Amino acid sequence: MLITYGELVATQDKIAKINARAEKRGFTGRLDVQAEKVTKKKTDALGFEIEEIWYETTITGDAPSYAGWKFIATLDFDAEAGLIVRTAPGVDKVDRDGLREGWCDHCRKQRHRKGTYLVRDEAGEQRQVGSTCIKDFLGWIGRPVFLSTDEVQEEVDHLLAGGGYYEKRWTIDTILAVAWAAIQAFGFVPASSYDGTPTRSVVMAVLDPNPRSERDRKLGDKLRPYVERSAEQARIIRDWLLSDDFSGDTEYVHNMKAVAGAETAGARNVGLLASAPQAWARAMERDLIRRQEAEELVNEHVGTPGERLELTVRVKSIRPIPGGWGTTMIYTLVGDDKRVYKWFASNDALGETAGAVHRIKGTVKKHDEYQGAKSTVLTRCKVLA
């Protein structure tokens, strides 16, 4: 994350205290702060070139642990979205089975808790614990030692506001509409980037603008040309998020589906939703490429059964099928006439690499069709070149 010099000093002091406490109590693992100075230049309203010094900072190492236990995630139970899992660096996935709001596996008590945590031992055992019981596993105050970029921004916003924080919430469609417009205007900028305003910040500037901020006003002006289509795009993106087309066994997918399925979301989940239009656009681009490729083909059969054909073909795909007489190689081929051919070969006559081009001669065995896609099946093929 990108932080100021004062924030860097505070972070280094915090990590030094954690490491000192860990050494005193005999815990394993240590943390390290690594920072690289970054110079940012900008021109102000008068034309002066202003240089700002920032620090690209990462926290590395293993979190100090007691008896082999390590912190792996914070659990948030949103009133509408349900379970949101925020994993520690290096933790890609947790076991969600049995996780429930307000429960602690250690004291075996169910009660109202502001938050719960997941810890895991060296054998892979996972436990959900409260903020008090976590001390028995980690040996220090239960708050995780890492802060996400969103959490850092929330703390800074809270300090600048002088306290008195209360959560605002917006409908999911509203957030997605603003995020789509922001990406159209500026492109998608992740929270970790120092080249441009992060998309999350642009969205927040529109959702919760500072009336005295000229910056927020200008950001809003640049989004204005995209407002008309934003509501329609938001519905399209949300439908996609909740469909089977958006799938995967990752925390990103689980969290996104949970938040998108709710009616509203607060600032804590705006960053997640701000990335949704970018994920949707990439998926649509992949689908477009596949559709374009399919549309270029001629969906027609060739010849008649028994007719001998000489063709130049490109290997589109290869699928080996085991059988009682050995392995059959099913070659799907695209001819230079843009039609699709198939050859059930008893050997690897066309090799094992898709994309190769061959000149072949074969006999039409039959005409095939699957889900509307037509292909001509060849037999007794001979490779000419």
Side-chain angles (χ1 to χ4, degrees):
M1 55 186 167
L2 198 67
I3 61 178
T4 65
Y5 176 76
E7 292 167 336
L8 173 61
V9 172
T11 300
Q12 291 172 328
D13 181 62
K14 180 178 181 180
I15 297 302
K17 289 179 179 178
I18 290 173
N19 286 337
R21 188 183 302 119
E23 183 175 0
K24 181 179 179 180
R25 299 185 181 181
F27 298 151
T28 60
R30 294 294 184 271
L31 297 169
D32 180 54
V33 180
Q34 298 177 344
E36 181 179 352
K37 186 168 69 172
V38 176
T39 301
K40 295 176 61 177
K41 297 182 179 181
K42 65 178 183 179
T43 303
D44 67 7
L46 296 175
F48 290 106
E49 186 178 72
I50 308 298
E51 292 188 356
E52 297 178 340
I53 305 299
W54 295 75
Y55 293 84
E56 185 66 39
T57 306
T58 56
I59 299 176
T60 60
D62 296 322
S65 62
Y66 175 74
W69 291 89
K70 292 185 178 181
F71 165 82
I72 61 171
T74 297
L75 305 181
D76 287 338
F77 288 85
D78 187 272
E80 294 182 17
L83 174 62
I84 302 298
V85 178
R86 305 182 191 279
T87 55
V91 179
D92 296 325
K93 183 173 174 55
V94 303
D95 183 3
R96 288 179 170 237
D97 291 340
L99 301 180
R100 48 188 168 136
E101 185 175 6
W103 174 252
C104 177
D105 291 327
H106 191 50
C107 66
R108 311 298 296 177
K109 292 181 180 180
Q110 177 87 35
R111 64 169 182 259
H112 174 74
R113 304 175 191 272
K114 186 176 181 180
T116 54
Y117 307 93
L118 287 185
V119 293
R120 183 185 292 161
D121 70 2
E122 295 173 346
E125 180 183 357
Q126 174 183 292
R127 292 189 187 180
Q128 177 182 350
V129 294
S131 58
T132 299
C133 290
I134 197 173
K135 296 176 183 178
D136 291 341
F137 295 86
L138 304 184
W140 67 63
I141 185 170
R143 179 172 174 80
V145 298
F146 83 96
L147 289 176
S148 68
T149 304
D150 284 356
E151 288 171 325
V152 170
Q153 186 62 52
E154 287 174 8
E155 291 198 0
V156 171
D157 291 345
H158 179 67
L159 290 173
L160 293 177
Y165 173 79
Y166 64 96
E167 184 183 37
K168 293 183 178 179
R169 298 181 74 90
W170 301 269
T171 64
I172 303 302
D173 283 352
T174 296
I175 297 172
L176 290 176
V178 177
W180 180 82
I183 291 173
Q184 298 305 300
F186 304 106
F188 179 69
V189 182
S192 59
S193 174
Y194 54 84
D195 185 14
T197 303
T199 301
R200 177 194 182 277
S201 298
V202 177
V203 174
M204 286 301 302
V206 175
L207 294 176
D208 193 19
N210 182 346
R212 295 184 297 274
S213 172
E214 180 71 9
R215 168 183 169 275
D216 287 3
R217 187 189 64 78
K218 289 183 177 180
L219 287 176
D221 288 344
K222 292 185 178 181
L223 267 61
R224 187 170 291 110
Y226 307 99
V227 170
E228 184 176 349
R229 289 188 56 199
S230 62
E232 177 186 357
Q233 288 296 324
R235 288 190 291 271
I236 292 172
I237 294 168
R238 191 178 187 186
D239 288 344
W240 175 75
L241 291 173
L242 298 176
S243 73
D244 292 338
D245 292 335
F246 177 62
S247 60
D249 192 21
T250 65
E251 298 302 335
Y252 177 78
V253 172
H254 289 310
N255 291 341
M256 185 70 83
K257 283 187 174 293
V259 174
E263 183 179 359
T264 64
R268 190 173 182 84
N269 288 321
V270 165
L272 180 65
L273 289 169
S275 69
Q278 179 77 351
W280 171 81
R282 288 176 176 172
M284 294 304 102
E285 182 179 8
R286 291 193 296 269
D287 289 346
L288 178 61
I289 291 173
R290 287 194 289 266
R291 288 199 302 271
Q292 287 176 334
E293 184 178 34
E295 289 169 359
E296 288 176 357
L297 301 179
V298 178
N299 194 30
E300 296 176 355
H301 293 128
V302 180
T304 58
E307 182 180 351
R308 197 74 172 162
L309 302 176
E310 186 170 327
L311 306 160
T312 298
V313 296
R314 174 174 55 86
V315 180
K316 183 175 178 60
S317 67
I318 308 167
R319 184 159 56 98
I321 302 295
W325 300 96
T327 300
T328 297
M329 304 294 287
I330 302 179
Y331 289 101
T332 300
L333 313 167
V334 177
D336 53 7
D337 58 359
K338 298 299 183 181
R339 292 167 174 82
V340 176
Y341 300 86
K342 290 186 178 179
W343 178 20
F344 292 71
S346 58
N347 54 47
D348 58 351
L350 298 183
E352 300 178 352
T353 304
V357 177
H358 302 272
R359 186 72 178 172
I360 65 172
K361 192 171 186 179
T363 300
V364 176
K365 181 178 181 180
K366 65 176 182 177
H367 293 152
D368 198 7
E369 184 171 342
Y370 178 70
Q371 295 184 349
K374 297 179 180 180
S375 60
T376 300
V377 180
L378 303 176
T379 188
R380 297 194 297 275
C381 292
K382 179 180 180 181
V383 179
L384 302 179

